[in-house]
Amino acid sequence: MLVAKSNYIRKLIIESKEADLTRINLSNIPGGPEMFEKAAKFCYGVNFEITVHNVAALRCAAEFLQMTDKYCENNLAGRTEDFLSQVALSSLSGAVVVLKSCEALLPLAEDLLIVQRCIDVATAKACYEANFPCRTPPNWWTEELSIIDIEFFSRIIAAMKKRGAKALTIASALITYTERSLRDLVRDHSAGNGTKSSDAQSTNSQVRYQQRELLESIVSLMPSEKAAFPINFLCCLLRSAIFLKASTSCKNELEKRVSAILEHVSVDDLLVLSFTYDGERLFDLESVRKIISGFVEKEKSMAVFSGSGDFRESCSCSPAMHRVAKTVGTYLGEIATSGELSISKFNGIANLVPKGSRKVDDDLYRAIDIYLKAHPNLDEIEREKICSSMDPLKLSYEARVHASQNKRLPVQIVLHALYYDQLKLRSGLDNDRSTPDAAATRNQLQADVLLIKENEALRSELTRMKLYISDVQKGNNQAGTGSSSKSGTSGHKKHTFFSSMSKTFGKLNPFKHGSKDTSNIDDDVAAMDGTKPRRRRFSIS
């Protein structure tokens, strides 16, 4: 019965040189003993079930045994082909299951075009379901695709791109596939806490190598649109790339994608990039630095192309930059307690964001205060360095009150806070405890300082003038005692301050020694003058 329907077995028997043939070798049959058993049952007319799970293996076994219609009508090859076209490849789920079974049947399944036919059907069905969902949840088809090998999955994604699938459709399939295939690595590790089990698992170098290859393949399949993926997924993916020591090109691609949508990042997302999976040690913060730097450069480029006059100011004033500046300040406060965080790394991240993009520096002040508290052995110079990234003039009223009483801060910062409050109280800008614009505040402070200096100079000059006049007046009184007694009624007149000034300047007359002294006839001239002297009001501050 086997010889009647299998040309392969017929040739083995005919070509055998053994006189009494009792055993033939069929160890290379696709699908192994199970598929040979079903093929033998078919030859002997025993019923068995053809399913989507075994149809590909049966088709390959039929090809291997040469059980085609060429040697016998209605043979196994024809039966399996009918099932493939009429049943298995009529739905997305069937095509995916058949494609999954082909992973162990290569290259014969590829030569028989079973793989390509499954890919074509899966691609067409997936694109249709993405555009016109007929089941719930709408992305059910992504779960179906996530069971196949990365090589077949890559071919389906490439075919979907050729069919014009949207970036969000491709991204949805990639996210589901990644979360299933790298479940222990890619997940939402809130506050930087991960699972230690993945560390133990990845101690196997072979497992880590396979995960790294899979991750790099997934990143290479991403659509060109930067905003197609959610920020938390990209951060988890980048963290996995750092942990698995993926290629530089893979990490750079992920860093660019995170940088492009950094305004949507949360502090937890940045913490995912910062800590190891046990949540105890810091990763190298180079990736975080590159992400923030790339975002700032992007904002500067957008400001240049927008045609604004001062692109630095335009970049700093953008809403996205304000959000990122606040997030970075809060992020620094979260990692400030780490003993591995040096002053240079802290300032390196803080100074990446333009200072003009921070309306207030309260978040940065909080981060600096936490850092100083976590590193109590810093000297005065080191404390001044860590505070150099903060602008004391941009603290809120509550933060300035706290800073003025903070013994951990350098003396210079405390004096800045106190002096700033004094100047604002004098200028009347702090009545409502509001925080004005930094540039306007600095201009007002400079004007107040100049005004204070001018007032002090005028006050000193006026004091010296009064002392000088007092000395001259005393000398004049001593010298004019005799003449004042002869003047009769005029000697009893009370001298005012300005009359004394007039007489004093009269004594300093440069023509005094060359002509008659007229200093004593001022009252007579005033009496002879028929017009009333003009009264002037003087204001002396």
Side-chain angles (χ1 to χ4, degrees):
M1 299 301 294
L2 292 175
V3 170
K5 294 189 177 182
S6 173
N7 187 55
Y8 181 80
I9 295 177
R10 181 187 302 115
K11 288 194 299 182
L12 285 179
I13 295 176
I14 293 174
E15 295 173 359
S16 176
K17 297 179 180 181
E18 297 184 17
D20 187 11
L21 183 62
T22 58
R23 183 184 298 271
I24 59 176
N25 185 6
L26 296 176
S27 60
N28 294 329
I29 186 171
E34 183 181 357
M35 291 304 107
F36 175 73
E37 180 185 4
K38 286 182 169 48
K41 286 182 178 180
F42 178 79
C43 294
Y44 283 90
V46 179
N47 291 328
F48 64 93
E49 184 180 7
I50 300 178
T51 66
V52 292
H53 296 280
N54 62 21
V55 64
L58 281 173
R59 177 66 184 88
C60 291
E63 190 68 22
F64 178 82
L65 296 173
Q66 299 179 10
M67 297 176 64
T68 62
D69 292 345
K70 179 179 179 181
Y71 306 103
C72 179
E73 293 183 0
N74 296 323
N75 213 340
L76 182 60
R79 295 284 297 276
T80 53
E81 279 291 341
D82 292 341
F83 185 87
L84 273 174
S85 58
Q86 296 175 15
V87 180
L89 299 183
S90 62
S91 65
L92 174 62
S93 300
V96 170
V97 172
V98 173
L99 187 60
K100 175 67 176 177
S101 66
C102 289
E103 295 174 5
L105 301 173
L106 298 176
L108 185 56
E110 190 76 64
D111 296 337
L112 294 175
L113 300 180
I114 301 176
V115 172
Q116 188 59 49
R117 289 161 65 189
C118 291
I119 290 175
D120 292 341
V121 172
T123 301
K125 298 289 185 180
C127 290
Y128 183 84
E129 288 295 331
N131 295 325
F132 309 101
C134 59
R135 285 171 53 182
T136 55
N139 61 340
W140 66 270
W141 59 273
T142 62
E143 294 286 346
E144 300 288 340
L145 295 180
S146 65
I147 68 173
I148 60 178
D149 183 76
I150 183 62
E151 181 181 354
F152 293 157
F153 180 78
S154 301
R155 292 172 63 176
I156 291 178
I157 294 299
M160 291 178 68
K161 290 180 180 179
K162 288 183 179 180
R163 283 179 171 266
K166 298 178 181 179
L168 292 178
T169 301
I170 302 297
S172 178
L174 286 172
I175 291 172
T176 305
Y177 188 88
T178 305
E179 290 177 346
R180 179 162 183 161
S181 57
L182 296 174
R183 184 172 301 170
D184 293 333
L185 293 175
V186 181
R187 58 178 60 181
D188 186 14
H189 302 285
S190 60
N193 295 323
T195 57
K196 295 184 179 180
S197 61
S198 57
D199 281 337
Q201 180 187 8
S202 296
T203 55
N204 187 339
S205 59
Q206 183 62 29
V207 172
R208 180 176 294 189
Y209 174 79
Q210 293 174 355
Q211 290 176 336
R212 181 166 59 247
E213 291 290 322
L214 179 60
L215 178 63
E216 292 175 355
S217 299
I218 291 172
V219 173
S220 66
L221 293 174
M222 289 183 170
S224 57
E225 289 78 1
K226 301 294 183 183
F229 295 89
I231 188 71
N232 59 344
F233 173 77
L234 291 175
C235 289
C236 290
L237 215 58
L238 178 55
R239 180 193 199 176
S240 301
I242 297 172
F243 177 73
L244 295 173
K245 298 181 179 179
S247 63
T248 304
S249 59
C250 176
K251 290 190 289 187
N252 289 343
E253 176 64 23
L254 291 172
E255 288 167 356
K256 290 178 181 177
R257 289 180 179 272
V258 175
S259 178
I261 53 176
L262 187 60
E263 63 268 26
H264 304 295
V265 77
S266 66
V267 177
D268 289 342
D269 295 328
L270 288 181
L271 290 177
V272 164
L273 298 176
S274 304
F275 289 94
T276 55
Y277 277 90
D278 54 14
E280 296 177 359
R281 294 183 297 107
L282 274 178
F283 271 138
D284 185 6
L285 298 178
E286 183 64 19
S287 290
V288 176
R289 190 194 64 79
K290 287 182 179 179
I291 289 170
I292 300 174
S293 178
F295 175 79
V296 173
E297 292 299 324
K298 184 199 74 170
E299 290 294 309
K300 289 181 179 179
S301 301
M302 292 177 62
V304 170
F305 288 117
S306 65
S308 57
D310 190 350
F311 72 91
R312 292 184 180 87
E313 182 178 354
S314 177
C315 166
S316 301
C317 294
S318 67
M321 186 64 76
H322 288 322
R323 288 194 294 270
V324 170
K326 183 173 180 60
T327 301
V328 171
T330 308
Y331 165 75
L332 288 173
E334 294 294 331
I335 67 172
T337 56
S338 174
E340 304 173 17
L341 183 64
S342 63
I343 295 177
S344 59
K345 289 183 178 180
F346 185 96
N347 286 340
I349 295 177
N351 293 331
L352 286 174
V353 180
K355 291 187 177 181
S357 61
R358 297 189 182 98
K359 295 181 179 179
V360 291
D361 273 6
D362 286 10
D363 293 327
L364 189 56
Y365 168 68
R366 174 180 173 273
I368 291 173
D369 188 38
I370 294 174
Y371 188 91
L372 293 175
K373 188 175 182 179
H375 302 77
N377 297 324
L378 298 178
D379 56 27
E380 185 73 12
I381 296 178
E382 290 174 331
R383 285 186 291 155
E384 289 180 358
K385 286 182 179 179
I386 197 69
C387 293
S388 62
S389 58
M390 177 184 66
D391 188 355
L393 300 182
K394 295 175 68 175
L395 296 178
S396 65
Y397 175 80
E398 291 76 11
R400 291 197 306 273
V401 171
H402 186 277
S404 63
Q405 302 172 359
N406 193 344
K407 296 181 180 180
R408 290 185 290 270
L409 292 178
V411 178
Q412 184 180 4
I413 301 298
V414 177
L415 292 177
H416 270 91
L418 292 173
Y419 186 60
Y420 176 76
D421 275 339
Q422 290 297 321
L423 289 181
K424 290 193 71 179
L425 288 172
R426 290 186 180 184
S427 60
L429 292 178
D430 202 30
N431 293 330
D432 56 351
R433 293 185 178 181
S434 61
T435 303
D437 182 72
T441 302
R442 287 191 179 87
N443 294 334
Q444 184 63 40
L445 289 176
Q446 292 175 358
D448 291 343
V449 170
L450 292 176
L451 183 60
I452 290 172
K453 290 181 179 180
E454 291 178 359
N455 288 340
E456 292 294 337
L458 290 174
R459 191 176 291 107
S460 300
E461 187 68 24
L462 182 59
T463 302
R464 286 196 299 270
M465 180 63 71
K466 287 182 178 180
L467 290 175
Y468 176 76
I469 292 174
S470 178
D471 292 341
V472 173
Q473 187 174 4
K474 289 180 181 179
N476 184 32
N477 290 337
Q478 293 174 359
T481 302
S483 60
S484 61
S485 60
K486 298 178 182 180
S487 59
T489 58
S490 62
H492 299 285
K493 183 183 293 186
K494 186 176 179 180
H495 294 280
T496 64
F497 172 75
F498 292 104
S499 63
S500 300
M501 286 281 293
S502 177
K503 291 180 179 180
T504 301
F505 288 125
K507 291 179 179 294
L508 299 177
N509 191 351
F511 302 100
K512 176 179 178 180
H513 301 288
S515 61
K516 184 179 179 179
D517 186 7
T518 60
S519 61
N520 294 325
I521 65 174
D522 291 343
D523 295 336
D524 298 335
V525 173
M528 295 173 61
D529 192 358
T531 61
K532 188 176 182 180
R534 181 185 300 175
R535 300 182 63 184
R536 293 180 174 85
R537 295 180 63 186
F538 293 87
S539 176
I540 301 177
S541 59

PDB file of all heavy atoms in Angstrom, residues 372-391:
ATOM      1  N   LEU A 372      22.308  68.142  48.482  1.00  0.00           N
ATOM      2  CA  LEU A 372      23.153  68.576  49.590  1.00  0.00           C
ATOM      3  C   LEU A 372      22.858  67.773  50.856  1.00  0.00           C
ATOM      4  O   LEU A 372      23.768  67.481  51.639  1.00  0.00           O
ATOM      5  CB  LEU A 372      22.933  70.072  49.859  1.00  0.00           C
ATOM      6  CG  LEU A 372      23.400  71.030  48.759  1.00  0.00           C
ATOM      7  CD1 LEU A 372      23.015  72.459  49.103  1.00  0.00           C
ATOM      8  CD2 LEU A 372      24.903  70.913  48.536  1.00  0.00           C
ATOM      9  N   LYS A 373      21.606  67.415  51.050  1.00  0.00           N
ATOM     10  CA  LYS A 373      21.251  66.625  52.225  1.00  0.00           C
ATOM     11  C   LYS A 373      21.774  65.199  52.104  1.00  0.00           C
ATOM     12  O   LYS A 373      22.190  64.595  53.112  1.00  0.00           O
ATOM     13  CB  LYS A 373      19.726  66.615  52.388  1.00  0.00           C
ATOM     14  CG  LYS A 373      19.256  65.981  53.682  1.00  0.00           C
ATOM     15  CD  LYS A 373      17.750  66.115  53.825  1.00  0.00           C
ATOM     16  CE  LYS A 373      17.267  65.530  55.151  1.00  0.00           C
ATOM     17  NZ  LYS A 373      15.801  65.677  55.301  1.00  0.00           N
ATOM     18  N   ALA A 374      21.769  64.649  50.882  1.00  0.00           N
ATOM     19  CA  ALA A 374      22.255  63.285  50.666  1.00  0.00           C
ATOM     20  C   ALA A 374      23.779  63.213  50.614  1.00  0.00           C
ATOM     21  O   ALA A 374      24.341  62.121  50.735  1.00  0.00           O
ATOM     22  CB  ALA A 374      21.675  62.717  49.367  1.00  0.00           C
ATOM     23  N   HIS A 375      24.450  64.355  50.411  1.00  0.00           N
ATOM     24  CA  HIS A 375      25.919  64.402  50.364  1.00  0.00           C
ATOM     25  C   HIS A 375      26.400  65.438  51.376  1.00  0.00           C
ATOM     26  O   HIS A 375      26.809  66.554  51.005  1.00  0.00           O
ATOM     27  CB  HIS A 375      26.403  64.761  48.962  1.00  0.00           C
ATOM     28  CG  HIS A 375      25.933  63.820  47.890  1.00  0.00           C
ATOM     29  ND1 HIS A 375      24.637  63.853  47.384  1.00  0.00           N
ATOM     30  CD2 HIS A 375      26.565  62.809  47.239  1.00  0.00           C
ATOM     31  CE1 HIS A 375      24.517  62.911  46.464  1.00  0.00           C
ATOM     32  NE2 HIS A 375      25.668  62.258  46.359  1.00  0.00           N
ATOM     33  N   PRO A 376      26.363  65.117  52.651  1.00  0.00           N
ATOM     34  CA  PRO A 376      26.667  66.121  53.683  1.00  0.00           C
ATOM     35  C   PRO A 376      28.139  66.492  53.809  1.00  0.00           C
ATOM     36  O   PRO A 376      28.464  67.451  54.502  1.00  0.00           O
ATOM     37  CB  PRO A 376      26.171  65.438  54.967  1.00  0.00           C
ATOM     38  CG  PRO A 376      26.284  63.980  54.687  1.00  0.00           C
ATOM     39  CD  PRO A 376      25.997  63.808  53.216  1.00  0.00           C
ATOM     40  N   ASN A 377      29.029  65.760  53.163  1.00  0.00           N
ATOM     41  CA  ASN A 377      30.462  66.001  53.324  1.00  0.00           C
ATOM     42  C   ASN A 377      31.036  66.955  52.284  1.00  0.00           C
ATOM     43  O   ASN A 377      32.263  67.056  52.147  1.00  0.00           O
ATOM     44  CB  ASN A 377      31.222  64.670  53.266  1.00  0.00           C
ATOM     45  CG  ASN A 377      30.828  63.738  54.396  1.00  0.00           C
ATOM     46  OD1 ASN A 377      30.563  64.187  55.515  1.00  0.00           O
ATOM     47  ND2 ASN A 377      30.781  62.440  54.111  1.00  0.00           N
ATOM     48  N   LEU A 378      30.213  67.645  51.533  1.00  0.00           N
ATOM     49  CA  LEU A 378      30.712  68.583  50.526  1.00  0.00           C
ATOM     50  C   LEU A 378      31.255  69.833  51.201  1.00  0.00           C
ATOM     51  O   LEU A 378      30.685  70.330  52.182  1.00  0.00           O
ATOM     52  CB  LEU A 378      29.583  68.973  49.563  1.00  0.00           C
ATOM     53  CG  LEU A 378      28.947  67.838  48.736  1.00  0.00           C
ATOM     54  CD1 LEU A 378      27.822  68.393  47.882  1.00  0.00           C
ATOM     55  CD2 LEU A 378      29.978  67.143  47.873  1.00  0.00           C
ATOM     56  N   ASP A 379      32.352  70.357  50.669  1.00  0.00           N
ATOM     57  CA  ASP A 379      32.897  71.601  51.214  1.00  0.00           C
ATOM     58  C   ASP A 379      32.198  72.796  50.576  1.00  0.00           C
ATOM     59  O   ASP A 379      31.293  72.645  49.743  1.00  0.00           O
ATOM     60  CB  ASP A 379      34.412  71.682  50.988  1.00  0.00           C
ATOM     61  CG  ASP A 379      34.791  71.531  49.520  1.00  0.00           C
ATOM     62  OD1 ASP A 379      33.960  71.879  48.658  1.00  0.00           O
ATOM     63  OD2 ASP A 379      35.911  71.075  49.225  1.00  0.00           O
ATOM     64  N   GLU A 380      32.612  73.992  50.963  1.00  0.00           N
ATOM     65  CA  GLU A 380      31.935  75.219  50.511  1.00  0.00           C
ATOM     66  C   GLU A 380      32.034  75.384  48.997  1.00  0.00           C
ATOM     67  O   GLU A 380      31.070  75.767  48.337  1.00  0.00           O
ATOM     68  CB  GLU A 380      32.553  76.421  51.223  1.00  0.00           C
ATOM     69  CG  GLU A 380      31.851  77.739  50.937  1.00  0.00           C
ATOM     70  CD  GLU A 380      30.508  77.880  51.620  1.00  0.00           C
ATOM     71  OE1 GLU A 380      30.200  77.040  52.507  1.00  0.00           O
ATOM     72  OE2 GLU A 380      29.758  78.802  51.279  1.00  0.00           O
ATOM     73  N   ILE A 381      33.188  75.093  48.436  1.00  0.00           N
ATOM     74  CA  ILE A 381      33.373  75.249  46.979  1.00  0.00           C
ATOM     75  C   ILE A 381      32.481  74.264  46.223  1.00  0.00           C
ATOM     76  O   ILE A 381      31.856  74.613  45.214  1.00  0.00           O
ATOM     77  CB  ILE A 381      34.851  75.043  46.607  1.00  0.00           C
ATOM     78  CG1 ILE A 381      35.717  76.135  47.248  1.00  0.00           C
ATOM     79  CG2 ILE A 381      35.029  75.042  45.092  1.00  0.00           C
ATOM     80  CD1 ILE A 381      37.198  75.986  46.981  1.00  0.00           C
ATOM     81  N   GLU A 382      32.402  73.027  46.688  1.00  0.00           N
ATOM     82  CA  GLU A 382      31.558  72.028  46.018  1.00  0.00           C
ATOM     83  C   GLU A 382      30.081  72.396  46.139  1.00  0.00           C
ATOM     84  O   GLU A 382      29.306  72.181  45.201  1.00  0.00           O
ATOM     85  CB  GLU A 382      31.821  70.658  46.631  1.00  0.00           C
ATOM     86  CG  GLU A 382      33.187  70.098  46.284  1.00  0.00           C
ATOM     87  CD  GLU A 382      33.488  68.802  47.017  1.00  0.00           C
ATOM     88  OE1 GLU A 382      32.959  68.633  48.147  1.00  0.00           O
ATOM     89  OE2 GLU A 382      34.233  67.969  46.478  1.00  0.00           O
ATOM     90  N   ARG A 383      29.680  72.943  47.261  1.00  0.00           N
ATOM     91  CA  ARG A 383      28.284  73.375  47.411  1.00  0.00           C
ATOM     92  C   ARG A 383      27.967  74.553  46.494  1.00  0.00           C
ATOM     93  O   ARG A 383      26.864  74.664  45.963  1.00  0.00           O
ATOM     94  CB  ARG A 383      28.009  73.737  48.868  1.00  0.00           C
ATOM     95  CG  ARG A 383      27.882  72.518  49.762  1.00  0.00           C
ATOM     96  CD  ARG A 383      27.463  72.884  51.160  1.00  0.00           C
ATOM     97  NE  ARG A 383      28.520  73.601  51.871  1.00  0.00           N
ATOM     98  CZ  ARG A 383      28.320  74.436  52.883  1.00  0.00           C
ATOM     99  NH1 ARG A 383      27.091  74.697  53.280  1.00  0.00           N
ATOM    100  NH2 ARG A 383      29.330  75.021  53.470  1.00  0.00           N
ATOM    101  N   GLU A 384      28.943  75.423  46.304  1.00  0.00           N
ATOM    102  CA  GLU A 384      28.736  76.526  45.361  1.00  0.00           C
ATOM    103  C   GLU A 384      28.630  76.008  43.929  1.00  0.00           C
ATOM    104  O   GLU A 384      27.858  76.540  43.123  1.00  0.00           O
ATOM    105  CB  GLU A 384      29.881  77.526  45.484  1.00  0.00           C
ATOM    106  CG  GLU A 384      29.860  78.331  46.779  1.00  0.00           C
ATOM    107  CD  GLU A 384      31.011  79.321  46.854  1.00  0.00           C
ATOM    108  OE1 GLU A 384      31.833  79.336  45.912  1.00  0.00           O
ATOM    109  OE2 GLU A 384      31.085  80.068  47.848  1.00  0.00           O
ATOM    110  N   LYS A 385      29.387  74.961  43.602  1.00  0.00           N
ATOM    111  CA  LYS A 385      29.311  74.390  42.259  1.00  0.00           C
ATOM    112  C   LYS A 385      27.940  73.779  42.001  1.00  0.00           C
ATOM    113  O   LYS A 385      27.361  73.970  40.928  1.00  0.00           O
ATOM    114  CB  LYS A 385      30.398  73.330  42.090  1.00  0.00           C
ATOM    115  CG  LYS A 385      31.807  73.877  41.931  1.00  0.00           C
ATOM    116  CD  LYS A 385      32.799  72.746  41.715  1.00  0.00           C
ATOM    117  CE  LYS A 385      34.217  73.290  41.541  1.00  0.00           C
ATOM    118  NZ  LYS A 385      35.193  72.180  41.364  1.00  0.00           N
ATOM    119  N   ILE A 386      27.416  73.049  42.967  1.00  0.00           N
ATOM    120  CA  ILE A 386      26.120  72.409  42.755  1.00  0.00           C
ATOM    121  C   ILE A 386      25.013  73.443  42.671  1.00  0.00           C
ATOM    122  O   ILE A 386      23.981  73.216  42.035  1.00  0.00           O
ATOM    123  CB  ILE A 386      25.845  71.381  43.875  1.00  0.00           C
ATOM    124  CG1 ILE A 386      24.728  70.421  43.451  1.00  0.00           C
ATOM    125  CG2 ILE A 386      25.465  72.060  45.167  1.00  0.00           C
ATOM    126  CD1 ILE A 386      25.092  69.497  42.351  1.00  0.00           C
ATOM    127  N   CYS A 387      25.217  74.610  43.302  1.00  0.00           N
ATOM    128  CA  CYS A 387      24.205  75.673  43.256  1.00  0.00           C
ATOM    129  C   CYS A 387      24.365  76.587  42.044  1.00  0.00           C
ATOM    130  O   CYS A 387      23.516  77.463  41.833  1.00  0.00           O
ATOM    131  CB  CYS A 387      24.272  76.514  44.527  1.00  0.00           C
ATOM    132  SG  CYS A 387      23.771  75.630  46.022  1.00  0.00           S
ATOM    133  N   SER A 388      25.427  76.393  41.267  1.00  0.00           N
ATOM    134  CA  SER A 388      25.673  77.303  40.144  1.00  0.00           C
ATOM    135  C   SER A 388      24.636  77.169  39.036  1.00  0.00           C
ATOM    136  O   SER A 388      24.438  78.097  38.252  1.00  0.00           O
ATOM    137  CB  SER A 388      27.070  77.035  39.568  1.00  0.00           C
ATOM    138  OG  SER A 388      27.156  75.704  39.064  1.00  0.00           O
ATOM    139  N   SER A 389      23.954  76.021  38.961  1.00  0.00           N
ATOM    140  CA  SER A 389      22.942  75.836  37.918  1.00  0.00           C
ATOM    141  C   SER A 389      21.625  76.518  38.252  1.00  0.00           C
ATOM    142  O   SER A 389      20.731  76.585  37.416  1.00  0.00           O
ATOM    143  CB  SER A 389      22.696  74.341  37.693  1.00  0.00           C
ATOM    144  OG  SER A 389      22.293  73.716  38.892  1.00  0.00           O
ATOM    145  N   MET A 390      21.489  77.052  39.472  1.00  0.00           N
ATOM    146  CA  MET A 390      20.236  77.672  39.911  1.00  0.00           C
ATOM    147  C   MET A 390      20.376  79.191  39.924  1.00  0.00           C
ATOM    148  O   MET A 390      21.440  79.717  40.232  1.00  0.00           O
ATOM    149  CB  MET A 390      19.884  77.159  41.319  1.00  0.00           C
ATOM    150  CG  MET A 390      18.642  77.786  41.921  1.00  0.00           C
ATOM    151  SD  MET A 390      18.370  77.216  43.609  1.00  0.00           S
ATOM    152  CE  MET A 390      19.800  77.920  44.449  1.00  0.00           C
ATOM    153  N   ASP A 391      19.302  79.871  39.599  1.00  0.00           N
ATOM    154  CA  ASP A 391      19.254  81.332  39.644  1.00  0.00           C
ATOM    155  C   ASP A 391      18.463  81.745  40.885  1.00  0.00           C
ATOM    156  O   ASP A 391      17.243  81.576  40.938  1.00  0.00           O
ATOM    157  CB  ASP A 391      18.578  81.883  38.389  1.00  0.00           C
ATOM    158  CG  ASP A 391      18.675  83.396  38.307  1.00  0.00           C
ATOM    159  OD1 ASP A 391      19.188  84.012  39.265  1.00  0.00           O
ATOM    160  OD2 ASP A 391      18.255  83.974  37.285  1.00  0.00           O
TER     161      ASP A 391
END
